[in-house]
Amino acid sequence: MIESTDEDQYFPRVPYFYNGKNVFLTGATGFVGAVLLETLLRCIPGIKSIYILVRSKKNVQPEIRKEQIFNKKIFEKLKEETPELLEKVHLIAGDISLPNLGMKEADAQLLIQEVSIIFHCAAIISFTKPLDFILRSNTLSLCSVLELCRKMRKLDALVYTSTVYSNCNRLNFPLKEMVYRLPFHANQFIDLLINQDNVKLEDLVGHCKPDWPNFYTFSKCLAENVIMDTASDLPIAIVRPSVVINTWKKPIPGYAEENSGIITLIVGAGKGFVKVFHADPNNKMNLVPVDIVSNAHVLAAWRVGTKRCASPFVVNCTATERFDIKLCEINKILVELGDQFPLPQSFEEHSRMIIVPNKFLFFICKVYYHYLPAVVLDGFIRILGKKPRIYSLYRFLDKVTNALDFFSFHCFEIERNNLEYLDKGIPEEDRKDLYLDSSDVVYSDMTLSLPKGSPFYDWKIDRKSQSERQKVKNRRHILIKSIQWTFLTICCLLIYWMFSLFFFSNKIL
């Protein structure tokens, strides 16, 4: 932790630090990156330019994807009131998984000459992808960014987005705001990765104990070690968010994206598709609003750029302890949300999700609530000549939720001294927009703000009206219940027949 001093009060205001400077941002197409881009444009109008790295995806070119960013709901107010600010955003075509971020040499030279501040938010957030794939995107990309920083003429700050769970393998210990060192130099992993020696790479990772629950969290730990081993002399901040959820205040309350972290599970439960979940219902999740995460990035760059502190400056970006919510409490609020605000494109009538801690009982519930209806419904779909996909969706859901087991059964004590230090140092004039104090956050209020701010609650995305969708859900609900009750009836009859056969044979003997 960094202690506050009297000189802290003489720091320039945050906008003054950014005025006239150029910023390079990776990950702008993602949830955190898009909110960070909006925050920079809204709160720092004096910023000169923001260069965003965007790759082509599924045959959609970077130029189109840039427009898709600005079509997000969080940019509506900026487009209406200050559309000229959007002209400060310039596209750099590239790909974080490629050498030199896949950029053209001319674009790289432009960044080297003009950029002062870098936000490296881009990452592959997957708990199921193979090791080499994850490390190429999440660790080698950081190496490319650090090489870029070394060449920059006027670097003020680099902010790297990690995760508070980069060291979640250290159970029963507080997760401190420090870089936990691996037993091997980071370059040993990087060399094996570049040489595509996956066998030796996996063997080396296997020697790092305790084990990480997935390669994503390990990749973030390795990336932090890369910074310590190769770039500790640079002005770097590492921001580690916990579980990121929807916006709390700015730019609009309740904004979230459907395929972002825990929001995916919330939407799946709200649509009646996810009915059972393997977890400890009393396990606590540390949640943090995405606008606080975005503000932490902006303030971390300001702090590192205006005061040369020990590098890297590590910030565990979490909400206060009163925002550690039990899974059963989250589920209860989701039921209330589903009852008050039905989701478009819903699968079934009810949004109740059963949290089952016992693995065997969860398997039985999963078969009964997920796979039994899926097999029968897919059968009907085949008869209609369409491609069945409900069973395969549940298989994919299983793959994802299995990877979450570690987090749904373990809670963590997280140190947040540097976040509080950042909060105390915010100039009073900047606190309205760049806030970090989450002591007033109420989770139920935040969740119930989702229908107002989130695009997946817009009924325009549903081909059916709300009343028509309700009829579809009712019919599907009746059909699924009929399938389940028929299955139970058959099971009871089979049990009755087996017992009858047993007693009848005993009677003859």
Side-chain angles (χ1 to χ4, degrees):
M1 177 186 174
I2 298 175
E3 296 293 335
S4 297
T5 62
D6 291 339
E7 65 179 84
D8 288 348
Q9 60 183 310
Y10 301 113
F11 270 64
R13 286 190 56 193
V14 181
Y16 297 165
F17 167 71
Y18 283 91
N19 280 351
K21 292 182 179 178
N22 297 304
V23 171
F24 178 47
L25 168 64
T26 70
T29 57
F31 182 34
V32 172
V35 176
L36 175 55
L37 177 60
E38 192 280 337
T39 303
L40 288 168
L41 291 171
R42 172 172 48 84
C43 300
I44 321 288
I47 209 165
K48 187 176 180 181
S49 295
I50 302 176
Y51 298 95
I52 59 172
L53 185 78
V54 181
R55 66 183 174 97
S56 58
K57 183 179 181 182
K58 296 180 180 178
N59 296 322
V60 180
Q61 295 305 306
E63 294 79 7
I64 303 298
R65 296 192 72 201
K66 177 188 171 185
E67 293 304 315
Q68 290 174 345
I69 295 172
F70 291 141
N71 287 334
K72 293 183 178 183
K73 197 169 182 178
I74 49 172
F75 290 95
E76 287 180 354
K77 190 173 182 180
L78 279 176
K79 289 165 74 174
E80 290 176 5
E81 298 180 357
T82 51
E84 66 277 5
L85 292 179
L86 302 184
E87 296 175 6
K88 296 185 177 188
V89 181
H90 305 286
L91 177 69
I92 300 287
D95 187 331
I96 62 167
S97 65
L98 299 176
N100 198 33
L101 303 177
M103 298 186 295
K104 296 177 181 177
E105 184 59 30
D107 289 334
Q109 288 301 317
L110 173 66
L111 298 180
I112 290 169
Q113 294 174 14
E114 299 296 332
V115 166
S116 303
I117 302 160
I118 297 180
F119 295 99
H120 183 37
C121 301
I124 297 295
I125 304 176
S126 171
F127 294 169
T128 58
K129 296 290 185 182
L131 175 64
D132 62 322
F133 180 84
I134 290 288
L135 293 187
R136 286 187 185 280
S137 296
N138 294 357
T139 308
L140 277 189
S141 65
L142 175 62
C143 295
S144 297
V145 170
L146 293 174
E147 288 176 14
L148 198 65
C149 290
R150 289 287 182 197
K151 299 174 184 176
M152 284 183 171
R153 298 178 179 179
K154 42 190 175 184
L155 178 69
D156 285 325
L158 162 64
V159 180
Y160 172 64
T161 310
S162 185
T163 171
V164 80
Y165 302 107
S166 58
N167 302 291
C168 62
N169 58 325
R170 300 173 184 272
L171 292 170
N172 305 318
F173 293 97
L175 300 180
K176 296 185 177 181
E177 292 171 304
M178 57 177 280
V179 175
Y180 290 81
R181 305 311 303 273
L182 293 170
F184 309 102
H185 195 282
N187 281 340
Q188 291 183 248
F189 298 91
I190 301 302
D191 290 342
L192 292 172
L193 186 62
I194 292 174
N195 294 327
Q196 299 183 356
D197 194 339
N198 293 336
V199 175
K200 287 186 179 179
L201 178 62
E202 291 185 12
D203 183 62
L204 193 64
V205 173
H207 281 86
C208 301
K209 301 294 181 181
D211 292 330
W212 277 260
N214 51 64
F215 293 138
Y216 167 73
T217 50
F218 173 78
S219 74
K220 290 298 187 179
C221 179
L222 177 56
E224 293 180 8
N225 274 258
V226 167
I227 292 173
M228 286 297 294
D229 289 342
T230 67
S232 59
D233 58 316
L234 295 177
I236 299 178
I238 299 174
V239 177
R240 294 174 175 162
S242 54
V243 180
V244 182
I245 56 172
N246 55 285
T247 52
W248 174 29
K249 294 180 181 179
K250 300 290 181 72
I252 52 174
Y255 175 79
E257 296 176 10
E258 186 169 352
N259 297 316
S260 56
I262 197 173
I263 300 296
T264 306
L265 183 64
I266 291 173
V267 173
K271 290 185 176 183
F273 186 77
V274 182
K275 300 181 182 69
V276 290
F277 183 56
H278 187 220
D280 176 1
N282 293 312
N283 190 52
K284 291 183 177 182
M285 301 289 288
N286 188 285
L287 310 175
V288 60
V290 67
D291 43 337
I292 286 183
V293 176
S294 172
N295 294 343
H297 280 71
V298 175
L299 292 165
W302 163 73
R303 201 59 167 168
V304 168
T306 52
K307 180 179 181 180
R308 298 301 181 195
C309 50
S311 181
F313 175 50
V314 182
V315 181
N316 285 343
C317 187
T318 71
T320 55
E321 289 183 3
R322 65 185 297 273
F323 207 53
D324 287 348
I325 310 296
K326 290 182 179 179
L327 284 170
C328 58
E329 296 171 346
I330 293 175
N331 193 32
K332 182 179 178 182
I333 294 169
L334 291 182
V335 170
E336 182 183 351
L337 177 68
D339 289 343
Q340 290 187 33
F341 304 99
L343 269 162
Q345 300 177 324
S346 291
F347 179 74
E348 204 196 332
E349 176 65 26
H350 296 296
S351 58
R352 275 76 175 163
M353 182 174 67
I354 305 170
I355 300 177
V356 185
N358 182 274
K359 202 165 189 176
F360 178 72
L361 184 58
F362 169 69
F363 175 79
I364 295 173
C365 292
K366 179 175 66 175
V367 170
Y368 180 72
Y369 285 104
H370 288 173
Y371 286 106
L372 175 63
V375 170
V376 178
L377 290 174
D378 274 351
F380 288 143
I381 292 171
R382 281 185 185 275
I383 293 171
L384 295 173
K386 298 179 180 180
K387 184 179 179 181
R389 63 192 191 97
I390 300 175
Y391 181 85
S392 61
L393 284 173
Y394 276 124
R395 290 287 293 172
F396 177 74
L397 175 68
D398 265 0
K399 187 177 180 181
V400 173
T401 53
N402 285 344
L404 296 175
D405 274 3
F406 181 86
F407 303 97
S408 55
F409 283 92
H410 295 99
C411 56
F412 304 89
E413 181 184 347
I414 304 169
E415 180 183 274
R416 56 195 307 275
N417 295 330
N418 284 345
L419 186 74
E420 293 174 357
Y421 164 76
L422 266 184
D423 180 47
K424 290 177 182 176
I426 302 173
E428 200 61 40
E429 302 91 335
D430 298 327
R431 284 187 175 276
K432 181 180 178 182
D433 292 319
L434 298 170
Y435 46 87
L436 293 177
D437 184 6
S438 58
S439 58
D440 294 334
V441 178
V442 179
Y443 178 71
S444 58
D445 292 345
M446 275 196 62
T447 304
L448 293 174
S449 69
L450 281 169
K452 297 178 182 177
S454 296
F456 48 81
Y457 270 95
D458 187 351
W459 276 88
K460 293 177 183 177
I461 65 176
D462 201 322
R463 290 177 296 176
K464 295 177 172 60
S465 67
Q466 193 163 352
S467 58
E468 290 172 332
R469 175 59 59 184
Q470 189 63 40
K471 291 177 183 177
V472 170
K473 289 194 298 181
N474 288 339
R475 289 197 296 266
R476 195 175 286 155
H477 178 72
I478 293 170
L479 177 59
I480 289 175
K481 287 301 176 186
S482 299
I483 294 168
Q484 291 171 336
W485 280 106
T486 301
F487 175 76
L488 285 177
T489 302
I490 293 172
C491 287
C492 290
L493 289 173
L494 282 172
I495 293 170
Y496 174 76
W497 176 75
M498 290 172 64
F499 272 96
S500 297
L501 192 64
F502 174 76
F503 284 118
F504 180 71
S505 59
N506 282 343
K507 189 175 181 181
I508 292 176
L509 292 173

